[in-house]
Amino acid sequence: MFSETLIELLKKDPKICVLTGAGVSAESGVPTFRGENGIWKKFRAEELATVDAFMSNPDLVLAWYQHRRDIIDNIEPNPGHYALAKMEKNFSDFCLVTQNVDNLHENAGSKYILEVHGNIMKNKCMNCNKPVERLDFKEGDELPECECGGMIRPDVVWFGEMLPQDVFEEANRKAFQCDLFFSIGTSAIVYPAAALPITAKQRGAYLVEINVTETELSTLADEVLLGPSGEILPKLLMTAGIDV
Ligand code: OAD
């Protein structure tokens, strides 16, 4: 199932950069964005995940994020998340970049995580940017307000917004320098995150994709491992002799 090139490379303690997307959390029960049961089939992104949506209907947007937090509160990381946390411990230069906002990598024990689309458990003031930890909001509740009077919003990247620049720059630097890049559980179509595997490949890294289906990245990848990441990642580590 795995090429000899990949297994040999893993044994040489390569510099590794990983990009994860919603598919990594699918086996934990978090819905993905696209595909048959994708979130964006049920909700229109521009009605929920934009500044305009928030300004015109903050109750609805906050209630939707609360609904997603409630889902996450009741689920656990899966073997894919745990395998990635294990990889961080086993390789001397390992960077995990995630587009997921669900905190499951952290819950699985990963420490060095570049969250390029923010984190749904965190909130911030729209006015002064002050971080606000956990928020529990029910429709009908009074809107939360910062002490400066600003509105409190989820600390996630909405459509039309810039990614946190320092975080993305670090991700880009790691993609630029790595020997081995994994693109896992992402449709690899939302930029600029989707540019990271391309950058890595252009700089000479070995590019591996793990996904249940082929994506737009597949033709560029050196190796496409088709299957659920929660099954493939532990198998890969075992085959490479990394204790799981
Ligand atoms: P998508 O929903 O676009 O893609 C999820 C990918 O995971 C698909 O390619 C699936 O085939 C794959 N997949 C599903 N189950 C899997 C499994 N068990 N193992 C491996 N792969 C699996 O989600 P993302 O690529 O993460 O942005 O979407 C990128 C961004 O688009 C999100 O971060 C979000 C969204 O709009 C923002 O909210 C800013």
Side-chain angles (χ1 to χ4, degrees), residues 83-101:
L84 289 166
K86 176 72 86 181
M87 282 172 86
E88 182 178 352
K89 289 203 183 102
N90 274 270
F91 294 97
S92 41
D93 194 329
F94 181 87
C95 172
L96 175 59
V97 184
T98 189
Q99 299 166 89
N100 298 345
V101 296

mmCIF file of all heavy atoms in Angstrom, residues 83-101:
data_model
loop_
_atom_site.group_PDB
_atom_site.id
_atom_site.type_symbol
_atom_site.label_atom_id
_atom_site.label_comp_id
_atom_site.label_asym_id
_atom_site.label_seq_id
_atom_site.Cartn_x
_atom_site.Cartn_y
_atom_site.Cartn_z
ATOM 1 N N ALA A 83 -2.518 9.703 15.570
ATOM 2 C CA ALA A 83 -1.303 9.361 14.817
ATOM 3 C C ALA A 83 -0.490 10.627 14.532
ATOM 4 O O ALA A 83 0.744 10.616 14.610
ATOM 5 C CB ALA A 83 -1.683 8.655 13.512
ATOM 6 N N LEU A 84 -1.166 11.718 14.229
ATOM 7 C CA LEU A 84 -0.443 12.966 13.942
ATOM 8 C C LEU A 84 0.231 13.505 15.204
ATOM 9 O O LEU A 84 1.346 14.042 15.145
ATOM 10 C CB LEU A 84 -1.401 14.004 13.329
ATOM 11 C CG LEU A 84 -1.824 13.662 11.897
ATOM 12 C CD1 LEU A 84 -3.020 14.497 11.448
ATOM 13 C CD2 LEU A 84 -0.660 13.860 10.921
ATOM 14 N N ALA A 85 -0.433 13.352 16.344
ATOM 15 C CA ALA A 85 0.196 13.778 17.608
ATOM 16 C C ALA A 85 1.430 12.923 17.882
ATOM 17 O O ALA A 85 2.469 13.418 18.335
ATOM 18 C CB ALA A 85 -0.807 13.661 18.751
ATOM 19 N N LYS A 86 1.329 11.658 17.559
ATOM 20 C CA LYS A 86 2.459 10.733 17.732
ATOM 21 C C LYS A 86 3.616 11.140 16.806
ATOM 22 O O LYS A 86 4.787 11.115 17.196
ATOM 23 C CB LYS A 86 1.950 9.318 17.405
ATOM 24 C CG LYS A 86 2.962 8.226 17.434
ATOM 25 C CD LYS A 86 3.410 7.881 18.812
ATOM 26 C CE LYS A 86 2.504 6.874 19.466
ATOM 27 N NZ LYS A 86 2.937 6.547 20.825
ATOM 28 N N MET A 87 3.280 11.537 15.585
ATOM 29 C CA MET A 87 4.327 11.924 14.631
ATOM 30 C C MET A 87 5.100 13.135 15.157
ATOM 31 O O MET A 87 6.318 13.220 15.014
ATOM 32 C CB MET A 87 3.714 12.253 13.264
ATOM 33 C CG MET A 87 3.353 11.008 12.477
ATOM 34 S SD MET A 87 2.438 11.393 10.978
ATOM 35 C CE MET A 87 3.762 11.702 9.821
ATOM 36 N N GLU A 88 4.389 14.061 15.762
ATOM 37 C CA GLU A 88 5.073 15.250 16.303
ATOM 38 C C GLU A 88 6.146 14.851 17.307
ATOM 39 O O GLU A 88 7.220 15.440 17.371
ATOM 40 C CB GLU A 88 4.034 16.170 16.959
ATOM 41 C CG GLU A 88 4.659 17.442 17.504
ATOM 42 C CD GLU A 88 3.632 18.396 18.125
ATOM 43 O OE1 GLU A 88 2.416 18.173 18.023
ATOM 44 O OE2 GLU A 88 4.087 19.378 18.720
ATOM 45 N N LYS A 89 5.855 13.810 18.077
ATOM 46 C CA LYS A 89 6.819 13.368 19.098
ATOM 47 C C LYS A 89 7.991 12.621 18.468
ATOM 48 O O LYS A 89 9.084 12.583 19.021
ATOM 49 C CB LYS A 89 6.122 12.432 20.086
ATOM 50 C CG LYS A 89 5.141 13.136 20.983
ATOM 51 C CD LYS A 89 4.921 12.321 22.268
ATOM 52 C CE LYS A 89 3.887 12.978 23.147
ATOM 53 N NZ LYS A 89 2.572 12.350 23.081
ATOM 54 N N ASN A 90 7.733 11.982 17.330
ATOM 55 C CA ASN A 90 8.745 11.110 16.742
ATOM 56 C C ASN A 90 9.687 11.771 15.755
ATOM 57 O O ASN A 90 10.743 11.225 15.455
ATOM 58 C CB ASN A 90 8.075 9.926 16.057
ATOM 59 C CG ASN A 90 7.811 8.801 17.019
ATOM 60 O OD1 ASN A 90 8.644 7.938 17.201
ATOM 61 N ND2 ASN A 90 6.663 8.845 17.669
ATOM 62 N N PHE A 91 9.288 12.897 15.199
ATOM 63 C CA PHE A 91 10.141 13.546 14.195
ATOM 64 C C PHE A 91 10.679 14.853 14.757
ATOM 65 O O PHE A 91 9.955 15.574 15.448
ATOM 66 C CB PHE A 91 9.355 13.784 12.902
ATOM 67 C CG PHE A 91 8.971 12.509 12.220
ATOM 68 C CD1 PHE A 91 7.711 11.962 12.399
ATOM 69 C CD2 PHE A 91 9.885 11.828 11.428
ATOM 70 C CE1 PHE A 91 7.358 10.758 11.799
ATOM 71 C CE2 PHE A 91 9.534 10.624 10.820
ATOM 72 C CZ PHE A 91 8.276 10.091 11.007
ATOM 73 N N SER A 92 11.945 15.145 14.431
ATOM 74 C CA SER A 92 12.527 16.325 15.078
ATOM 75 C C SER A 92 12.054 17.632 14.455
ATOM 76 O O SER A 92 12.086 18.670 15.105
ATOM 77 C CB SER A 92 14.054 16.236 15.134
ATOM 78 O OG SER A 92 14.558 15.735 13.946
ATOM 79 N N ASP A 93 11.599 17.596 13.199
ATOM 80 C CA ASP A 93 11.083 18.835 12.599
ATOM 81 C C ASP A 93 9.725 18.520 11.988
ATOM 82 O O ASP A 93 9.621 18.010 10.869
ATOM 83 C CB ASP A 93 12.067 19.352 11.541
ATOM 84 C CG ASP A 93 11.764 20.780 11.125
ATOM 85 O OD1 ASP A 93 10.580 21.172 11.149
ATOM 86 O OD2 ASP A 93 12.717 21.502 10.768
ATOM 87 N N PHE A 94 8.692 18.786 12.750
ATOM 88 C CA PHE A 94 7.340 18.403 12.338
ATOM 89 C C PHE A 94 6.393 19.570 12.558
ATOM 90 O O PHE A 94 6.373 20.170 13.631
ATOM 91 C CB PHE A 94 6.874 17.203 13.175
ATOM 92 C CG PHE A 94 5.496 16.722 12.806
ATOM 93 C CD1 PHE A 94 5.313 15.795 11.787
ATOM 94 C CD2 PHE A 94 4.378 17.203 13.475
ATOM 95 C CE1 PHE A 94 4.042 15.358 11.442
ATOM 96 C CE2 PHE A 94 3.103 16.767 13.127
ATOM 97 C CZ PHE A 94 2.941 15.841 12.111
ATOM 98 N N CYS A 95 5.637 19.888 11.526
ATOM 99 C CA CYS A 95 4.724 21.027 11.649
ATOM 100 C C CYS A 95 3.332 20.614 11.174
ATOM 101 O O CYS A 95 3.177 20.056 10.091
ATOM 102 C CB CYS A 95 5.273 22.168 10.798
ATOM 103 S SG CYS A 95 4.141 23.533 10.672
ATOM 104 N N LEU A 96 2.352 20.879 11.994
ATOM 105 C CA LEU A 96 0.965 20.540 11.644
ATOM 106 C C LEU A 96 0.197 21.824 11.342
ATOM 107 O O LEU A 96 0.039 22.683 12.214
ATOM 108 C CB LEU A 96 0.316 19.794 12.819
ATOM 109 C CG LEU A 96 -1.168 19.462 12.679
ATOM 110 C CD1 LEU A 96 -1.433 18.587 11.458
ATOM 111 C CD2 LEU A 96 -1.662 18.740 13.944
ATOM 112 N N VAL A 97 -0.222 21.940 10.100
ATOM 113 C CA VAL A 97 -1.030 23.095 9.692
ATOM 114 C C VAL A 97 -2.454 22.576 9.519
ATOM 115 O O VAL A 97 -2.664 21.589 8.818
ATOM 116 C CB VAL A 97 -0.547 23.664 8.336
ATOM 117 C CG1 VAL A 97 -1.338 24.913 7.968
ATOM 118 C CG2 VAL A 97 0.950 23.944 8.364
ATOM 119 N N THR A 98 -3.403 23.218 10.159
ATOM 120 C CA THR A 98 -4.776 22.732 9.986
ATOM 121 C C THR A 98 -5.715 23.844 9.549
ATOM 122 O O THR A 98 -5.587 24.993 9.972
ATOM 123 C CB THR A 98 -5.321 22.039 11.260
ATOM 124 O OG1 THR A 98 -6.575 21.425 10.936
ATOM 125 C CG2 THR A 98 -5.514 23.003 12.425
ATOM 126 N N GLN A 99 -6.642 23.439 8.665
ATOM 127 C CA GLN A 99 -7.716 24.363 8.278
ATOM 128 C C GLN A 99 -8.903 24.154 9.211
ATOM 129 O O GLN A 99 -9.884 24.875 9.137
ATOM 130 C CB GLN A 99 -8.170 24.064 6.843
ATOM 131 C CG GLN A 99 -7.082 24.230 5.809
ATOM 132 C CD GLN A 99 -7.496 23.595 4.482
ATOM 133 O OE1 GLN A 99 -8.103 24.228 3.644
ATOM 134 N NE2 GLN A 99 -7.146 22.340 4.296
ATOM 135 N N ASN A 100 -8.812 23.142 10.062
ATOM 136 C CA ASN A 100 -9.944 22.825 10.938
ATOM 137 C C ASN A 100 -9.971 23.765 12.134
ATOM 138 O O ASN A 100 -8.938 24.156 12.660
ATOM 139 C CB ASN A 100 -9.847 21.375 11.422
ATOM 140 C CG ASN A 100 -9.902 20.399 10.264
ATOM 141 O OD1 ASN A 100 -10.286 20.781 9.156
ATOM 142 N ND2 ASN A 100 -9.504 19.170 10.487
ATOM 143 N N VAL A 101 -11.188 24.062 12.550
ATOM 144 C CA VAL A 101 -11.348 24.986 13.683
ATOM 145 C C VAL A 101 -11.839 24.210 14.910
ATOM 146 O O VAL A 101 -12.222 24.806 15.908
ATOM 147 C CB VAL A 101 -12.355 26.109 13.328
ATOM 148 C CG1 VAL A 101 -11.840 26.974 12.188
ATOM 149 C CG2 VAL A 101 -13.744 25.559 12.970
#
